Amino acid sequence: MKIVSFGTRPDEVQYLTEWSKRTGNELKQITATLNEDNVDQAAGYDGITCMQTVPYSAALFQKMADLGIKFLSIRNVGLDNIDMDGAKAAGIRISNVPAYSPEAIAEFAVTLTMHLVRNLGQVEEHLRNNDYNGAMHYIGRNVADCTVGVIGTGRIGRAAVKIFKGFGAKVLGYDPYPAKNSDIDYVDLDTLIREADIIDLHVPGLPANTHMINAAAFTKMKDHVIIVNTARGNLIDTQALLDNLRSGKVAGAGIDTFEYEEQDLLNLEQHGNFNDPAWDEMMQMPNVVLSPHIAYYTETAVRNMVEISLANLMGFLEKGVAENEVTQ
Ligand code: NAD
Ligand code: COI
């Protein structure tokens, strides 16, 4: 078979190359993310594997169909950037990698949390300004004494619950579909928002979840709450978050997935700049940790993303079924 990989990142090359050698399938690697303007580079290939957070549009799927390519196998979990109606209309079948390493993302969420509860951003800022004494006055909180609210207790949320429980924290969970046979202490969303010292988000960026953390939710939260989002940027109303950071109601925020990421990345790709006033303001706040959507980024995760995505694609091509076909 002839496969083409778009959005190929440097750390994926070895796994893609090894797979190609091991299986004898031809694999072309393209660094650019996939869109309707460059999909013709896949002409003559049987299927596409890709990873990106910029959109997969209806126009792209129509062009894939025109090229006779029926399968797109994404190397990640989230489906929020895919025009699923467009894919269906063009007859394109899609698979994802639902679990490449839930622990990677959960551990990163906990890392952001630990950074924030011990005020390391403020400490670092003082030290950078040669103010050793000033750096000593940021008293922290024990996670063990905190109530952690985990919103979304799927694969990643459950991994986060396990780690927070390991610290001895009281953990509350909210999920419309609670995990079966789990020891998670489920409450309704309102209770979680009111009682948590730390709020950790692990829900998909479905349109229905857009701004689930909005101005009204911030009003209900405890003073000096910490909020961590490694799920999707649209879950938090960023302007409301900024208001609450400025007022001091929110003590700290860890944002791996930023609300305007998609547009900002398109600007970066097309114009070479990532000019975003909300991002710039948060970058200046020592009690905010921003990261460029890298919660997933571990060796285990990258290897699994490549291997599982290619197994899905070969399933489509050789048997007509992929283990992780997206059917929604
Ligand atoms: P999952 O499908 O296993 O779990 C998601 C859970 O969220 C489900 O249990 C679902 O019932 C629940 N949910 C949906 N809407 C909800 C709501 N409004 N309130 C509470 N719970 C709700 O998915 P997962 O593997 O745990 O991944 C979660 C998300 O993490 C992905 O959709 C993706 O957006 C994000 N993610 C981010 C990274 C990263 O690198 N930052 C990497 C992988 C995944
Ligand atoms: C996901 O797997 O959904 C992620 O957010 C990871 C990212 C590299 C797209």
Side-chain angles (χ1 to χ4, degrees):
M1 294 286 173
K2 291 175 70 182
I3 309 297
V4 54
S5 166
F6 281 86
T8 310
R9 301 186 183 189
D11 45 79
E12 296 180 307
V13 169
Q14 60 168 317
Y15 301 119
L16 290 163
T17 308
E18 275 168 21
W19 178 88
S20 174
K21 278 194 192 140
R22 192 175 72 235
T23 63
N25 292 292
E26 185 180 329
L27 200 151
K28 175 158 88 169
Q29 301 184 28
I30 295 175
T31 321
T33 54
L34 177 64
N35 59 47
E36 54 272 34
D37 297 325
N38 64 12
V39 65
D40 51 5
Q41 292 182 53
Y45 283 77
D46 300 303
I48 298 177
T49 169
C50 189
M51 183 175 68
Q52 62 193 38
T53 55
V54 293
Y56 297 95
S57 67
L60 162 70
F61 292 124
Q62 191 48 57
K63 284 207 173 172
M64 280 178 65
D66 295 344
L67 291 168
I69 301 172
K70 298 192 186 82
F71 307 113
L72 170 68
S73 171
I74 65 167
R75 299 194 286 280
N76 62 294
V77 181
L79 305 167
D80 45 284
N81 55 337
I82 302 178
D83 185 332
M84 294 302 297
D85 291 340
K88 200 171 173 190
I92 304 298
R93 290 167 69 189
I94 294 178
S95 59
N96 72 341
V97 185
Y100 48 78
S101 177
E103 294 77 16
I105 300 97
E107 287 175 13
F108 197 83
V110 175
T111 302
L112 295 180
T113 305
M114 299 308 286
H115 178 101
L116 294 164
V117 289
R118 300 307 291 267
N119 305 302
L120 287 180
Q122 294 91 323
V123 169
E124 201 181 14
E125 185 179 54
H126 280 272
L127 291 179
R128 283 190 198 288
N129 292 325
N130 291 322
D131 181 11
Y132 191 96
N133 287 328
M136 293 167 71
H137 298 295
Y138 287 93
I139 195 159
R141 284 182 265 181
N142 289 6
V143 172
D145 298 332
C146 290
T147 298
V148 182
V150 176
I151 304 183
T153 58
R155 296 173 185 89
I156 299 170
R158 287 200 301 278
V161 168
K162 195 171 158 191
I163 305 173
F164 281 122
K165 284 197 170 192
F167 281 113
K170 174 179 176 186
V171 182
L172 302 177
Y174 168 69
D175 194 307
Y177 302 97
K180 293 194 179 86
N181 306 320
S182 92
D183 60 352
I184 296 173
D185 187 3
Y186 281 103
V187 292
D188 58 58
L189 183 58
D190 204 64
T191 304
L192 184 150
I193 283 176
R194 286 180 195 281
E195 293 188 4
D197 302 296
I198 296 160
I199 295 178
D200 180 29
L201 298 171
H202 295 293
V203 312
L206 302 168
N209 290 337
T210 295
H211 291 184
M212 65 186 297
I213 304 296
N214 56 17
F218 282 114
T219 308
K220 293 176 198 164
M221 289 175 197
K222 279 186 171 174
D223 285 344
H224 311 304
V225 66
I226 281 172
I227 184 151
V228 171
N229 184 9
T230 57
R232 278 298 179 268
N234 68 317
L235 304 176
I236 299 182
D237 178 342
T238 301
Q239 299 307 323
L241 172 62
L242 271 170
D243 287 343
N244 284 276
L245 283 163
R246 291 184 198 119
S247 73
K249 165 105 189 180
V250 171
I255 307 291
D256 183 57
T257 44
F258 178 63
E259 182 169 13
Y260 313 122
E261 172 183 342
E262 205 173 283
Q263 188 54 51
D264 290 344
L265 280 180
L266 284 175
N267 288 342
L268 190 64
E269 280 181 15
Q270 289 163 10
H271 313 294
N273 62 46
F274 190 107
N275 283 336
D276 188 306
W279 177 272
D280 292 345
E281 183 172 351
M282 285 201 261
M283 276 298 289
Q284 297 304 317
M285 294 177 165
N287 56 336
V288 176
V289 197
L290 296 173
S291 51
H293 204 145
I294 51 163
Y296 77 100
Y297 192 50
T298 67
E299 289 169 10
T300 306
V302 172
R303 189 182 57 240
N304 287 341
M305 289 162 109
V306 168
E307 288 287 341
I308 299 170
S309 166
L310 288 167
N312 282 329
L313 194 49
M314 295 311 287
F316 273 139
L317 290 167
E318 292 181 340
K319 300 180 211 136
V321 278
E323 190 173 343
N324 304 119
E325 179 163 3
V326 177
T327 50
Q328 71 181 24

